[in-house]
Amino acid sequence: MAYNPKQIIEQGKAVLGIEFGSTRIKAVLIDPEFKPIAQGSHTWENQLVNGLWSYSVESIWFGLQDCYQNLRAQVLEKYECEIENLASIGISAMMHGYMPFDKHGDILAPFRTWRCTNTGKAAAELSSLFNFNIPLRWSISHLYQAILDDEPHVKDIDYLTTLAGFIHWQLTGKKVLGVGDASGMIPVDPATKSYNAEMVAKFDKLIAPKGYPWKLLDILPQSLDAGQDAGCLTEAGARKLDITGHLKPGAQICPPEGDAGTGMVATNAVRPRTGNVSAGTSSFSMIVLEKDLKKPHDVIDIVTTPDGSPVAMVHCNNCTSDLNAWVNLFKEYEEIMGMKVDMARIFTNLFNHALKGSKDCGGIMSFNYVSGEPVTGFADGRPLFVRSAQDKFNLANFMRAIISGAIGVLKIGNDILFKEEKIKVDRITGHGGLFTTPGVGQRILGAALNSPISCMETAGEGGPWGMAILAAYRINGGGQNLADYLDEKVFAGNTGTSVAPDPEDVEGFNAYIENYKACLPIEAAAVAHKK
């Protein structure tokens, strides 16, 4: 049935999903048929604080409030009504990182994001201790690195959480986390869907000589499955979210999740043998496993779906930031030529032109390393464009190289899954900014992974919508498992538009990636001589 958006909002039946991405905070309001009825956003940037990537607490709150006001303004304009009650709310954010708080609720160190690569020693030691790959960006890596560095704040930690967990705590008073995001703090046991007890015990024993007044489980949020009770919006929380005072407390708030979890939901990829690729500021692929991997791999993380199923994740710190910087040059060109600037048209035309380029990009290389890239072993990065005098340097090859470079590292990680581990997948769905221009990102990613790639209509804005679906599942799940709920109620058989890989594209991308790997020493030299 068709719902009247104004009535849905006035009756308090709308559901809100909010996601803190790396460059934008986005909000989506949906109706009972999961259709977006209003959206809001806020643009922000991380800052380099003492060599570590961070966002201030002040910028977090200003961004959330501005994003919500942007949503509220759209509702006022389109439907001439106020948002006073919501049925449910979900909070999502970029995964992992480090937010430690003292017993008074004050943050003890600036928020350290997934982008920080200072945790190499800690991650290596914990990976050996646990016999499990512990990535640089995971919360346990940040915590142990702070211990190794004898940072004085560690003894005062009363609570350690992620960005999504922090916002949820402030809105509800509950110190909880969705199991998917929790699995990026310290590994989760799929059987208990809580933190791995053996690893927790090993960590507590490892740091016992330090004499801290806490044990690990004392300071971590409780891990919750999708659909479980994670609290309600409090009066104080409502005021933090809506500074105008119109929003009333009482909305159910589902377990907070990471952006990987919302991507899985937004692409209907929570069932074994399904997967998705998120390609925005960073990129990551998520393949839901039907069996354990044969062994740990340094570049493959094992996390979980929002309902606790194991997932093989390849996470790349860099994706579209360098691509966007190059496209902005074309924007500047149009401005100095006195032309009317339309960024959507610029992106569309350049992306489509890339498909006219040589399958191997004419020999041109692009390294999009705005920051370090752990998959290829770089603790620091420098964006780099490389060509020889003999390469076929034209606009089509240039754009194809820039787009291919955005997903080159992702291919290197996934080759381990598909070629070494022989993982099988029935469907991979793409979402994120790389897929906004129809067909282009799909085709090039399909060549990289040698797999059909599907895209939904929500490909460009999937995260907050996925979080809104989890919020709706909290109040309407009715005991149905998440995979069935998505199949039967949300997507109802819709698998999006699929693009099969072209064999010549696959061959061309394979040639590109071999050249890419051969040129990694050039990137290393650039990093070594970075100003």
Side-chain angles (χ1 to χ4, degrees):
M1 62 176 293
Y3 289 93
N4 182 302
K6 180 180 172 70
Q7 289 181 354
I8 292 300
I9 295 167
E10 290 180 333
Q11 293 170 4
K13 294 180 179 179
V15 170
L16 176 64
I18 298 175
E19 181 158 284
F20 287 74
S22 301
T23 57
R24 278 203 300 161
I25 303 169
K26 295 176 282 189
V28 172
L29 202 64
I30 64 172
D31 69 14
E33 288 187 331
F34 315 105
K35 295 177 181 176
I37 53 179
Q39 299 183 3
S41 68
H42 170 83
T43 300
W44 67 342
E45 291 185 13
N46 51 195
Q47 305 296 323
L48 200 58
V49 180
N50 296 324
L52 299 174
W53 293 105
S54 183
Y55 301 84
S56 69
V57 171
E58 293 76 17
S59 69
I60 291 169
W61 285 118
F62 177 78
L64 175 65
Q65 291 161 358
D66 187 59
C67 176
Y68 183 84
Q69 288 306 307
N70 189 245
L71 173 83
R72 173 177 167 265
Q74 188 178 110
V75 168
L76 280 169
E77 181 181 352
K78 290 179 67 175
Y79 308 118
E80 299 181 337
C81 63
E82 282 283 359
I83 305 171
E84 295 189 347
N85 292 285
L86 291 165
S88 185
I89 302 171
I91 301 294
S92 171
M94 46 193 138
M95 293 177 72
H96 324 316
Y98 184 72
M99 295 192 80
F101 297 87
D102 65 17
K103 63 182 179 181
H104 303 296
D106 296 322
I107 195 162
L108 292 167
F111 170 38
R112 299 171 187 178
T113 78
W114 56 271
R115 204 168 205 166
C116 299
T117 54
N118 65 306
T119 56
K121 181 175 174 58
E125 289 189 14
L126 292 176
S127 295
S128 177
L129 178 68
F130 297 155
N131 190 31
F132 192 100
N133 179 44
I134 304 297
L136 302 182
R137 68 189 182 281
W138 281 17
S139 303
I140 197 70
S141 295
H142 284 282
L143 174 61
Y144 188 47
Q145 190 66 51
I147 292 170
L148 291 176
D149 294 341
D150 290 318
E151 294 194 42
H153 77 265
V154 176
K155 68 180 185 307
D156 299 319
I157 296 177
D158 182 70
Y159 184 44
L160 176 64
T161 189
T162 66
L163 178 55
F166 166 63
I167 298 297
H168 183 95
W169 169 39
Q170 296 297 299
L171 296 184
T172 67
K174 300 290 186 181
K175 295 180 176 180
V176 301
L177 202 58
V179 63
D181 207 7
S183 68
M185 298 198 77
I186 187 171
V188 162
D189 183 344
T192 64
K193 299 186 181 181
S194 189
Y195 305 108
N196 186 293
E198 181 181 351
M199 295 182 192
V200 168
K202 285 183 176 181
F203 184 83
D204 283 337
K205 183 178 179 180
L206 176 67
I207 67 168
K210 292 288 187 178
Y212 296 127
W214 49 262
K215 295 288 185 67
L216 186 57
L217 291 184
D218 296 336
I219 63 173
L220 293 182
Q222 180 187 1
S223 174
L224 296 178
D225 256 12
Q228 287 190 287
D229 184 0
C232 297
L233 182 66
T234 64
E235 179 70 41
R239 297 292 72 76
K240 283 179 177 287
L241 184 56
D242 180 8
I243 58 175
T244 67
H246 289 282
L247 181 63
K248 295 180 173 60
Q252 295 286 321
I253 304 191
C254 67
E257 266 299 348
D259 49 2
T262 61
M264 286 185 270
V265 171
T267 55
N268 192 16
V270 302
R271 197 183 294 280
R273 291 177 64 111
T274 63
N276 79 88
V277 168
S278 173
T281 304
S282 64
S283 68
F284 48 82
S285 63
M286 313 286 293
I287 306 297
V288 187
L289 300 174
E290 57 181 345
K291 62 180 181 179
D292 292 337
L293 300 184
K294 298 170 187 173
K295 63 178 183 179
H297 297 273
D298 290 344
V299 301
I300 297 173
D301 314 339
I302 303 299
V303 291
T304 79
T305 62
D307 59 347
S309 297
V311 176
M313 178 181 192
V314 176
H315 183 280
C316 309
N317 278 6
N318 302 281
C319 187
T320 59
S321 293
D322 189 50
L323 188 159
N324 292 340
W326 282 110
V327 172
N328 276 329
L329 290 182
F330 292 93
K331 168 180 173 287
E332 290 186 35
Y333 171 77
E334 291 201 350
E335 288 173 339
I336 66 171
M337 294 299 291
M339 302 167 66
K340 183 179 180 181
V341 173
D342 180 342
M343 286 304 291
R345 176 179 55 83
I346 294 173
F347 269 103
T348 298
N349 289 349
L350 288 174
F351 266 56
N352 283 322
H353 193 62
L355 296 182
K356 298 178 181 179
S358 301
K359 309 295 185 181
D360 65 352
C361 307
I364 297 170
M365 286 292 107
S366 171
F367 294 93
N368 64 337
Y369 296 10
V370 173
S371 63
E373 193 54 80
V375 171
T376 45
F378 286 85
D380 202 355
R382 168 172 266 186
L384 197 63
F385 181 78
V386 181
R387 69 184 181 96
S388 72
Q390 290 74 40
D391 290 336
K392 299 172 184 175
F393 186 49
N394 55 43
L395 182 58
N397 284 345
F398 169 82
M399 279 308 303
R400 191 166 185 130
I402 296 297
I403 297 171
S404 297
I407 55 176
V409 178
L410 193 71
K411 175 179 173 55
I412 292 172
N414 276 276
D415 278 352
I416 295 173
L417 279 178
F418 296 132
K419 294 181 179 179
E420 293 185 30
E421 289 284 349
K422 309 297 183 186
I423 293 301
K424 303 297 183 185
V425 62
D426 298 325
R427 186 184 75 248
I428 296 177
T429 305
H431 71 114
L434 189 73
F435 304 103
T436 303
T437 301
V440 181
Q442 283 176 270
R443 180 169 164 182
I444 295 178
L445 180 64
L449 302 186
N450 193 18
S451 172
I453 305 296
S454 296
C455 273
M456 307 285 189
E457 290 181 0
T458 53
E461 297 289 346
W465 183 68
M467 195 65 235
I469 291 171
L470 284 173
Y473 178 66
R474 165 71 190 97
I475 57 174
N476 297 319
Q480 189 176 28
N481 72 58
L482 181 60
D484 288 343
Y485 181 83
L486 295 177
D487 276 345
E488 297 171 15
K489 293 187 177 178
V490 178
F491 294 95
N494 178 23
T495 58
T497 302
S498 181
V499 173
D502 178 275
E504 292 184 1
D505 284 346
V506 173
E507 182 180 357
F509 204 103
N510 285 338
Y512 175 88
I513 209 66
E514 290 306 311
N515 198 12
Y516 182 101
K517 289 187 284 189
C519 289
L520 283 171
I522 304 175
E523 173 69 20
V527 170
H529 294 85
K530 187 176 182 181
K531 290 187 288 186

